[in-house]
Amino acid sequence: MMKHLPNVISVLRIAGSIGLLFCDVTGWPFWVLYALCGISDMVDGWLARKLHAETKAGAILDSVADIVFMACCTIRLLPVLEIPGWLWIWAGVIVFIKMLNQVSALVVCKRFCFPHTWANKLTGFLLFLAVPAVFWSLIPISIVAAIATFTAVQEGHYIRTKQDF
């Protein structure tokens, strides 16, 4: 049972992320659930390594949970945030690079690939911290966007060179 705990946590993050869709962004339930989902993202990988329960299926599940979390946060937060056009363009460039990486993965590896690099982990952690700060300043999210751009390019390099991921 303990070997499955990291995957259970990832599934709970997916459920919690969907729960965000039903919470008011200005209320504490949204931010408590947001924090729990973010913390679970850090805990599941650490626990998988600690329990020697790392699997390709678990890594994919973690990536799916990350995507669901980001999508649900985006759906809930975009209507209430005032984001300048240049930041939208930058975010679009990052998304485009990540989509291009997946096309490359299909060509090079014959499957989708989500490298769990340190840069990806750092970007996710910083993004988790920066999102609430967007209500007060664009500086933190701009820093994260710069790091995310580097991370997306690095991810593409890992995929195209078939480095271990």
Side-chain angles (χ1 to χ4, degrees):
M1 176 57 184
M2 291 300 283
K3 294 269 186 193
H4 300 291
L5 188 55
N7 291 347
V8 170
I9 292 171
S10 293
V11 169
L12 289 173
R13 182 164 73 255
I14 292 170
S17 298
I18 293 168
L20 290 171
L21 296 174
F22 302 98
C23 294
D24 178 9
V25 175
T26 62
W28 65 267
F30 179 89
W31 294 104
V32 168
L33 199 51
Y34 176 86
L36 289 172
C37 288
I39 291 166
S40 74
D41 185 26
M42 295 173 242
V43 170
D44 64 355
W46 174 82
L47 201 53
R49 288 185 294 280
K50 202 74 160 157
L51 296 173
H52 304 287
E54 297 171 280
T55 64
K56 287 202 183 280
I60 291 170
L61 183 60
D62 179 59
S63 294
V64 168
D66 292 345
I67 292 167
V68 171
F69 179 56
M70 289 306 302
C72 291
C73 286
T74 300
I75 289 166
R76 292 302 294 142
L77 291 170
L78 283 185
V80 298
L81 293 177
E82 292 183 28
I83 299 173
W86 62 266
L87 193 53
W88 280 107
I89 293 168
W90 197 351
V93 168
I94 294 167
V95 168
F96 179 76
I97 293 169
K98 289 192 143 298
M99 288 172 44
L100 190 60
N101 289 344
Q102 292 309 311
V103 170
S104 294
L106 286 173
V107 170
V108 173
C109 304
K110 310 291 186 251
R111 62 183 174 89
F112 291 115
C113 299
F114 302 97
H116 287 80
T117 65
W118 282 106
N120 259 326
K121 292 175 186 183
L122 175 65
T123 301
F125 176 70
L126 293 175
L127 186 59
F128 169 69
L129 295 177
V131 165
V134 170
F135 287 98
W136 300 282
S137 171
L138 290 177
I139 293 171
I141 202 72
S142 299
I143 293 168
V144 173
I147 295 168
T149 304
F150 166 80
T151 300
V153 171
Q154 181 196 44
E155 182 179 272
H157 173 73
Y158 271 57
I159 290 169
R160 285 183 288 286
T161 59
K162 294 185 180 181
Q163 292 189 30
D164 185 34
F165 41 83

